[in-house]
Amino acid sequence: MVYALGFVLFALGITISIALHECGHMWAAQASGMKVRRYFIGFGPKVFSFRRGETEYGLKALPLGGFCDIAGMTALDELEPDEIDRAMYRQATWKRLVVMSGGIAMNFVLGFILIVVMAVGWGLPLLTEPPVKVGALQCLSDENPDRSTLPCSGVGPAQQAGLQIGDTITAVNGKSVDTWAKFTTETRNATGEMTYTVDRAGQTLSFRVNPQRVVRYTETGEKREVGAVGIVRELPKSPDYNVLTAIPASLSFTGDLTVRTVQSLAQMPAKVASLWEAVTGGERDPETPVSVYGASRIGGETAERGLWGMFILVLASLNFFLGAFNILPLLPLDGGHIAVVIYEKIRDVLRRWRGLAPGAPVNYLKLLPATYVVVVIGGAYMLLTLAADIVNPIKLF
């Protein structure tokens, strides 16, 4: 029940994010004197609508997005006599840029607000993997099939070898381990004595550790015997924030998250092979993109475990991704329209220097082939991502 609630809430959060994206365009257009004919959430058959002023607001049957119909977005748009002077393509360049970037800005603002909420309610997580630092040392015992551990006494191999709480493990058998995953992989696969390189208060030390073979069970119930040394990692604790102290911390966090978002966006073409491998039965790369269904599924899993801070982080990350994705200078994305506006401005400045009149608006019909290519490729990518999320979803836990 909690999973289903989280799934629905996250899907609703995505819908609201898209709706507010379109609100960003609408409010900017209305504020700059343009006419907004329609503002609808969803696509397909109309469920209901109402008119307020000169704008029709409504909901459509398929809540898979939304749209804002601004009179004269391009010179191809058919205009009523009272719309000609207010047509978007006839407005000043700065107004057009403000309107086209209003949706992008809305996603970033919404993402930032969610980060502030997360900071106040749950703290800010680390975006980079913390070092392998010893938080506790314990004895070892086998696991039961339900993944509970049997009682044990005495000291574990790590403590017996001389490791202490606060030590930072930097290498195993001379191989660098800068993440907990690398450290556990090296340790679990060990069949004999290992050498840990440790940073203790700035001093580099080496310890010989003999892992103990213990029984562990996977999530699927598979029984395995692995090496273990009795180390519990130390996780940095996020400071406590109030609304005021959360703002500067959230600004810094947002900057880091935006950089990571742009990096992920740049890696999307290279992830096609990984997505295809996931669809055809291979292991799912956790760094591959997710569809709306996949993101909602993650939202359900985090809600099921009571990790509402992570729930909000995933939704904030999605808003940053939507904002960054729409900046791409490709039609029909907002960035494509922004690129056209900037091109027209530069072209007209150059024509003015040559003593010529401003050129005609860009003919969008000539750009349709390139637009269709983007739509087809983007649609195929979305379908591949959706298939991967259904057949082989990302598992956070």
Side-chain angles (χ1 to χ4, degrees):
M1 179 63 71
V2 177
Y3 172 85
L5 175 64
F7 187 99
V8 172
L9 284 177
F10 198 92
L12 180 62
I14 295 174
T15 302
I16 293 173
S17 298
I18 296 173
L20 288 175
H21 174 97
E22 296 301 324
C23 279
H25 294 308
M26 178 179 68
W27 291 336
Q30 291 172 333
S32 57
M34 301 178 198
K35 180 180 178 180
V36 179
R37 298 163 172 161
R38 296 180 298 161
Y39 170 82
F40 272 79
I41 298 174
F43 296 99
K46 181 169 66 176
V47 177
F48 73 88
S49 70
F50 63 92
R51 182 169 292 276
R52 179 170 295 175
E54 60 187 9
T55 306
E56 180 186 9
Y57 301 86
L59 175 69
K60 298 210 169 191
L62 301 175
L64 301 176
F67 66 92
C68 171
D69 178 16
I70 304 172
M73 284 190 66
T74 73
L76 300 175
D77 198 359
E78 294 184 5
L79 301 171
E80 298 294 331
D82 64 321
E83 296 174 343
I84 295 176
D85 291 337
R86 300 172 64 190
M88 180 174 172
Y89 76 89
R90 295 170 62 93
Q91 305 304 306
T93 298
W94 70 268
K95 289 185 178 181
R96 297 168 68 189
L97 290 176
V98 167
V99 171
M100 294 314 306
S101 45
I104 297 170
M106 182 62 71
N107 282 129
F108 281 108
V109 169
L110 180 57
F112 176 73
I113 292 173
L114 290 170
I115 294 300
V116 173
V117 171
M118 181 179 65
V120 174
W122 296 272
L124 295 174
L126 290 174
L127 290 177
T128 56
E129 181 80 17
V132 184
K133 194 169 186 178
V134 179
L137 295 163
Q138 61 185 18
C139 60
L140 291 169
S141 63
D142 292 338
E143 273 187 351
N144 293 310
D146 63 0
R147 306 191 73 178
S148 63
T149 54
L150 297 169
C152 66
S153 60
V155 299
Q159 187 174 1
Q160 188 176 13
L163 273 78
Q164 299 178 5
I165 295 175
D167 288 346
T168 299
I169 302 172
T170 58
V172 176
N173 287 339
K175 185 176 181 179
S176 176
V177 287
D178 54 355
T179 67
W180 180 255
K182 291 181 181 178
F183 168 73
T184 54
T185 298
E186 292 296 323
T187 299
R188 288 185 174 186
N189 293 337
T191 56
E193 188 178 75
M194 312 181 73
T195 300
Y196 285 180
T197 303
V198 170
D199 182 339
R200 178 179 293 172
Q203 184 180 7
T204 300
L205 303 172
S206 294
F207 297 92
R208 293 186 177 278
V209 184
N210 191 13
Q212 179 179 329
R213 304 299 291 179
V214 294
V215 172
R216 295 289 183 260
Y217 288 87
T218 66
E219 290 186 355
T220 58
E222 182 183 354
K223 181 179 178 181
R224 292 182 179 178
E225 187 178 86
V226 299
V229 294
I231 290 177
V232 179
R233 71 186 302 192
E234 177 184 289
L235 291 176
K237 186 179 182 299
S238 174
D240 293 328
Y241 298 104
N242 57 39
V243 176
L244 292 179
T245 59
I247 292 176
S250 297
L251 282 171
S252 177
F253 185 89
T254 297
D256 294 338
L257 186 57
T258 301
V259 170
R260 291 173 65 89
T261 301
V262 172
Q263 291 172 341
S264 299
L265 191 61
Q267 295 172 359
M268 281 185 64
K271 295 297 182 180
V272 172
S274 298
L275 286 169
W276 180 254
E277 182 181 357
V279 171
T280 54
E283 185 176 353
R284 179 72 183 268
D285 179 359
E287 298 297 324
T288 49
V290 294
S291 63
V292 171
Y293 168 79
S296 299
R297 190 178 185 280
I298 291 173
E301 289 181 352
T302 55
E304 187 176 35
R305 289 163 173 78
L307 301 175
W308 292 103
M310 183 179 292
F311 180 97
I312 292 176
L313 175 61
V314 176
L315 187 57
S317 300
L318 181 66
N319 271 276
F320 288 126
F321 180 82
L322 287 174
F325 184 74
N326 270 286
I327 294 175
L328 294 177
L330 301 170
L331 289 171
L333 301 178
D334 295 337
H337 292 284
I338 291 172
V340 169
V341 173
I342 293 174
Y343 163 76
E344 289 182 345
K345 181 63 176 179
I346 294 174
R347 179 203 61 189
D348 290 345
V349 168
L350 294 176
R351 287 177 65 88
R352 187 171 66 247
W353 288 350
R354 295 161 54 195
L356 301 174
V362 165
N363 186 349
Y364 273 78
L365 287 176
K366 294 182 178 180
L367 298 176
L368 279 180
T371 303
Y372 290 147
V373 169
V374 173
V375 170
V376 170
I377 294 177
Y381 197 101
M382 290 174 62
L383 289 175
L384 179 62
T385 304
L386 176 61
D389 288 333
I390 294 174
V391 175
N392 193 354
I394 290 176
K395 296 179 180 178
L396 295 183
F397 308 99

Short mmCIF file of all heavy atoms in Angstrom, two decimals, residues 341-375:
data_model
loop_
_atom_site.label_atom_id
_atom_site.label_comp_id
_atom_site.label_asym_id
_atom_site.label_seq_id
_atom_site.Cartn_x
_atom_site.Cartn_y
_atom_site.Cartn_z
N VAL A 341 15.49 32.35 -31.93
CA VAL A 341 15.38 33.78 -31.56
C VAL A 341 16.75 34.45 -31.58
O VAL A 341 16.91 35.56 -32.11
CB VAL A 341 14.72 33.92 -30.17
CG1 VAL A 341 14.76 35.37 -29.71
CG2 VAL A 341 13.29 33.41 -30.21
N ILE A 342 17.74 33.77 -31.02
CA ILE A 342 19.10 34.34 -30.99
C ILE A 342 19.64 34.46 -32.41
O ILE A 342 20.28 35.47 -32.76
CB ILE A 342 20.02 33.48 -30.11
CG1 ILE A 342 19.57 33.56 -28.65
CG2 ILE A 342 21.47 33.92 -30.24
CD1 ILE A 342 20.32 32.63 -27.72
N TYR A 343 19.40 33.46 -33.25
CA TYR A 343 19.84 33.53 -34.64
C TYR A 343 19.22 34.74 -35.35
O TYR A 343 19.91 35.48 -36.06
CB TYR A 343 19.46 32.26 -35.38
CG TYR A 343 19.50 32.40 -36.89
CD1 TYR A 343 20.72 32.41 -37.58
CD2 TYR A 343 18.33 32.58 -37.62
CE1 TYR A 343 20.76 32.59 -38.95
CE2 TYR A 343 18.35 32.74 -38.99
CZ TYR A 343 19.58 32.75 -39.66
OH TYR A 343 19.62 32.93 -41.01
N GLU A 344 17.92 34.95 -35.18
CA GLU A 344 17.26 36.08 -35.83
C GLU A 344 17.85 37.40 -35.36
O GLU A 344 18.04 38.33 -36.16
CB GLU A 344 15.76 36.04 -35.53
CG GLU A 344 15.01 34.93 -36.25
CD GLU A 344 13.53 34.95 -35.98
OE1 GLU A 344 13.12 35.64 -35.01
OE2 GLU A 344 12.78 34.28 -36.71
N LYS A 345 18.15 37.50 -34.06
CA LYS A 345 18.72 38.73 -33.52
C LYS A 345 20.10 39.00 -34.12
O LYS A 345 20.40 40.13 -34.57
CB LYS A 345 18.81 38.65 -32.00
CG LYS A 345 19.37 39.91 -31.34
CD LYS A 345 18.49 41.12 -31.60
CE LYS A 345 19.00 42.35 -30.86
NZ LYS A 345 18.15 43.55 -31.13
N ILE A 346 20.96 37.99 -34.13
CA ILE A 346 22.32 38.17 -34.69
C ILE A 346 22.24 38.49 -36.17
O ILE A 346 22.94 39.38 -36.67
CB ILE A 346 23.16 36.89 -34.44
CG1 ILE A 346 23.39 36.69 -32.95
CG2 ILE A 346 24.49 36.98 -35.18
CD1 ILE A 346 24.08 35.39 -32.61
N ARG A 347 21.36 37.80 -36.88
CA ARG A 347 21.20 38.06 -38.32
C ARG A 347 20.76 39.50 -38.58
O ARG A 347 21.30 40.18 -39.46
CB ARG A 347 20.16 37.10 -38.89
CG ARG A 347 19.87 37.27 -40.37
CD ARG A 347 18.50 36.73 -40.71
NE ARG A 347 17.44 37.42 -39.97
CZ ARG A 347 16.18 37.04 -39.96
NH1 ARG A 347 15.82 35.94 -40.61
NH2 ARG A 347 15.28 37.73 -39.26
N ASP A 348 19.79 40.00 -37.81
CA ASP A 348 19.29 41.36 -38.02
C ASP A 348 20.33 42.41 -37.65
O ASP A 348 20.40 43.48 -38.28
CB ASP A 348 18.01 41.57 -37.21
CG ASP A 348 16.83 40.78 -37.78
OD1 ASP A 348 16.94 40.31 -38.93
OD2 ASP A 348 15.82 40.63 -37.07
N VAL A 349 21.14 42.12 -36.61
CA VAL A 349 22.22 43.07 -36.27
C VAL A 349 23.22 43.16 -37.42
O VAL A 349 23.64 44.26 -37.80
CB VAL A 349 22.92 42.61 -34.96
CG1 VAL A 349 24.22 43.40 -34.76
CG2 VAL A 349 22.00 42.80 -33.77
N LEU A 350 23.58 42.02 -37.98
CA LEU A 350 24.52 42.02 -39.10
C LEU A 350 23.91 42.72 -40.31
O LEU A 350 24.60 43.47 -41.04
CB LEU A 350 24.90 40.58 -39.47
CG LEU A 350 25.70 39.82 -38.40
CD1 LEU A 350 25.94 38.38 -38.85
CD2 LEU A 350 27.03 40.51 -38.11
N ARG A 351 22.61 42.55 -40.55
CA ARG A 351 21.95 43.22 -41.68
C ARG A 351 21.91 44.73 -41.45
O ARG A 351 22.07 45.52 -42.39
CB ARG A 351 20.53 42.66 -41.85
CG ARG A 351 20.49 41.24 -42.43
CD ARG A 351 19.05 40.73 -42.51
NE ARG A 351 18.25 41.52 -43.46
CZ ARG A 351 18.18 41.26 -44.75
NH1 ARG A 351 18.86 40.23 -45.27
NH2 ARG A 351 17.42 41.99 -45.55
N ARG A 352 21.68 45.14 -40.22
CA ARG A 352 21.65 46.57 -39.93
C ARG A 352 23.01 47.20 -40.17
O ARG A 352 23.12 48.33 -40.67
CB ARG A 352 21.19 46.80 -38.48
CG ARG A 352 20.98 48.29 -38.16
CD ARG A 352 20.31 48.48 -36.81
NE ARG A 352 21.16 48.05 -35.71
CZ ARG A 352 20.89 47.02 -34.92
NH1 ARG A 352 19.81 46.30 -35.13
NH2 ARG A 352 21.70 46.71 -33.94
N TRP A 353 24.07 46.48 -39.80
CA TRP A 353 25.42 47.02 -40.06
C TRP A 353 25.66 47.22 -41.55
O TRP A 353 26.43 48.07 -41.96
CB TRP A 353 26.47 46.06 -39.50
CG TRP A 353 26.55 46.07 -37.99
CD1 TRP A 353 25.94 46.94 -37.13
CD2 TRP A 353 27.28 45.16 -37.17
NE1 TRP A 353 26.24 46.64 -35.83
CE2 TRP A 353 27.08 45.54 -35.82
CE3 TRP A 353 28.08 44.05 -37.44
CZ2 TRP A 353 27.65 44.87 -34.76
CZ3 TRP A 353 28.66 43.38 -36.37
CH2 TRP A 353 28.44 43.78 -35.05
N ARG A 354 24.99 46.40 -42.35
CA ARG A 354 25.16 46.50 -43.80
C ARG A 354 24.13 47.43 -44.43
O ARG A 354 24.03 47.53 -45.66
CB ARG A 354 25.03 45.10 -44.42
CG ARG A 354 26.16 44.15 -44.01
CD ARG A 354 25.78 42.69 -44.23
NE ARG A 354 25.34 42.44 -45.59
CZ ARG A 354 24.69 41.34 -45.98
NH1 ARG A 354 24.38 40.42 -45.07
NH2 ARG A 354 24.34 41.18 -47.23
N GLY A 355 23.33 48.11 -43.58
CA GLY A 355 22.35 49.04 -44.09
C GLY A 355 21.10 48.37 -44.62
O GLY A 355 20.35 48.99 -45.40
N LEU A 356 20.81 47.14 -44.21
CA LEU A 356 19.65 46.40 -44.70
C LEU A 356 18.55 46.34 -43.63
O LEU A 356 18.81 46.50 -42.44
CB LEU A 356 20.05 44.97 -45.09
CG LEU A 356 21.13 44.83 -46.17
CD1 LEU A 356 21.52 43.37 -46.33
CD2 LEU A 356 20.65 45.42 -47.49
N ALA A 357 17.33 46.13 -44.08
CA ALA A 357 16.20 45.99 -43.16
C ALA A 357 16.27 44.62 -42.47
O ALA A 357 16.91 43.70 -42.98
CB ALA A 357 14.90 46.13 -43.93
N PRO A 358 15.58 44.50 -41.34
CA PRO A 358 15.56 43.19 -40.66
C PRO A 358 15.00 42.11 -41.57
O PRO A 358 14.15 42.36 -42.41
CB PRO A 358 14.65 43.44 -39.46
CG PRO A 358 14.73 44.90 -39.21
CD PRO A 358 14.88 45.54 -40.56
N GLY A 359 15.51 40.90 -41.41
CA GLY A 359 15.05 39.79 -42.23
C GLY A 359 13.69 39.28 -41.79
O GLY A 359 13.19 39.63 -40.71
N ALA A 360 13.10 38.44 -42.60
CA ALA A 360 11.81 37.83 -42.26
C ALA A 360 11.99 36.80 -41.15
O ALA A 360 13.09 36.29 -40.94
CB ALA A 360 11.22 37.17 -43.50
N PRO A 361 10.92 36.50 -40.41
CA PRO A 361 11.03 35.45 -39.38
C PRO A 361 11.49 34.13 -39.98
O PRO A 361 11.22 33.84 -41.15
CB PRO A 361 9.59 35.35 -38.84
CG PRO A 361 8.96 36.66 -39.17
CD PRO A 361 9.59 37.11 -40.45
N VAL A 362 12.17 33.35 -39.19
CA VAL A 362 12.65 32.05 -39.65
C VAL A 362 11.47 31.20 -40.10
O VAL A 362 10.42 31.15 -39.45
CB VAL A 362 13.42 31.33 -38.51
CG1 VAL A 362 13.61 29.86 -38.83
CG2 VAL A 362 14.77 31.99 -38.29
N ASN A 363 11.63 30.54 -41.22
CA ASN A 363 10.59 29.67 -41.76
C ASN A 363 10.70 28.30 -41.09
O ASN A 363 11.59 27.50 -41.40
CB ASN A 363 10.74 29.53 -43.28
CG ASN A 363 9.60 28.76 -43.90
OD1 ASN A 363 8.80 28.14 -43.21
ND2 ASN A 363 9.52 28.79 -45.22
N TYR A 364 9.78 28.04 -40.17
CA TYR A 364 9.83 26.79 -39.42
C TYR A 364 9.56 25.57 -40.29
O TYR A 364 9.92 24.44 -39.93
CB TYR A 364 8.84 26.82 -38.25
CG TYR A 364 9.41 27.44 -37.00
CD1 TYR A 364 9.53 28.82 -36.87
CD2 TYR A 364 9.85 26.65 -35.94
CE1 TYR A 364 10.05 29.40 -35.72
CE2 TYR A 364 10.37 27.21 -34.78
CZ TYR A 364 10.47 28.59 -34.69
OH TYR A 364 11.00 29.13 -33.54
N LEU A 365 8.94 25.78 -41.45
CA LEU A 365 8.72 24.64 -42.35
C LEU A 365 10.04 24.03 -42.81
O LEU A 365 10.15 22.82 -42.99
CB LEU A 365 7.89 25.09 -43.56
CG LEU A 365 6.40 25.36 -43.30
CD1 LEU A 365 5.74 25.88 -44.56
CD2 LEU A 365 5.70 24.10 -42.80
N LYS A 366 11.05 24.89 -42.99
CA LYS A 366 12.35 24.40 -43.41
C LYS A 366 13.06 23.63 -42.29
O LYS A 366 13.98 22.86 -42.55
CB LYS A 366 13.22 25.56 -43.89
CG LYS A 366 12.71 26.24 -45.16
CD LYS A 366 13.64 27.34 -45.59
CE LYS A 366 13.15 28.00 -46.88
NZ LYS A 366 14.05 29.10 -47.33
N LEU A 367 12.62 23.89 -41.06
CA LEU A 367 13.24 23.21 -39.91
C LEU A 367 12.51 21.93 -39.53
O LEU A 367 12.96 21.20 -38.65
CB LEU A 367 13.27 24.17 -38.70
CG LEU A 367 14.08 25.45 -38.87
CD1 LEU A 367 13.94 26.32 -37.62
CD2 LEU A 367 15.55 25.14 -39.12
N LEU A 368 11.37 21.66 -40.19
CA LEU A 368 10.59 20.48 -39.83
C LEU A 368 11.36 19.17 -39.97
O LEU A 368 11.25 18.30 -39.09
CB LEU A 368 9.31 20.43 -40.67
CG LEU A 368 8.15 21.30 -40.17
CD1 LEU A 368 6.95 21.16 -41.09
CD2 LEU A 368 7.76 20.94 -38.74
N PRO A 369 12.14 18.97 -41.05
CA PRO A 369 12.87 17.69 -41.15
C PRO A 369 13.79 17.45 -39.95
O PRO A 369 13.82 16.33 -39.40
CB PRO A 369 13.67 17.84 -42.45
CG PRO A 369 12.87 18.80 -43.26
CD PRO A 369 12.29 19.76 -42.28
N ALA A 370 14.52 18.48 -39.54
CA ALA A 370 15.40 18.33 -38.38
C ALA A 370 14.60 18.09 -37.11
O ALA A 370 14.99 17.30 -36.24
CB ALA A 370 16.28 19.57 -38.22
N THR A 371 13.42 18.75 -37.03
CA THR A 371 12.56 18.56 -35.86
C THR A 371 12.05 17.12 -35.80
O THR A 371 12.04 16.50 -34.73
CB THR A 371 11.36 19.53 -35.92
OG1 THR A 371 11.85 20.86 -36.00
CG2 THR A 371 10.50 19.39 -34.68
N TYR A 372 11.65 16.58 -36.96
CA TYR A 372 11.17 15.20 -37.00
C TYR A 372 12.26 14.22 -36.58
O TYR A 372 11.99 13.22 -35.90
CB TYR A 372 10.67 14.85 -38.39
CG TYR A 372 9.38 15.55 -38.79
CD1 TYR A 372 9.13 15.92 -40.10
CD2 TYR A 372 8.42 15.83 -37.83
CE1 TYR A 372 7.95 16.56 -40.46
CE2 TYR A 372 7.24 16.48 -38.17
CZ TYR A 372 7.01 16.83 -39.49
OH TYR A 372 5.84 17.47 -39.83
N VAL A 373 13.48 14.49 -36.99
CA VAL A 373 14.60 13.61 -36.62
C VAL A 373 14.76 13.59 -35.09
O VAL A 373 14.92 12.52 -34.48
CB VAL A 373 15.91 14.08 -37.29
CG1 VAL A 373 17.11 13.33 -36.70
CG2 VAL A 373 15.85 13.84 -38.79
N VAL A 374 14.70 14.78 -34.47
CA VAL A 374 14.83 14.86 -33.01
C VAL A 374 13.68 14.12 -32.34
O VAL A 374 13.88 13.37 -31.37
CB VAL A 374 14.86 16.34 -32.56
CG1 VAL A 374 14.83 16.42 -31.03
CG2 VAL A 374 16.11 17.03 -33.09
N VAL A 375 12.46 14.30 -32.86
CA VAL A 375 11.29 13.65 -32.26
C VAL A 375 11.40 12.13 -32.37
O VAL A 375 11.13 11.40 -31.40
CB VAL A 375 10.00 14.15 -32.93
CG1 VAL A 375 8.81 13.31 -32.48
CG2 VAL A 375 9.77 15.62 -32.60
#
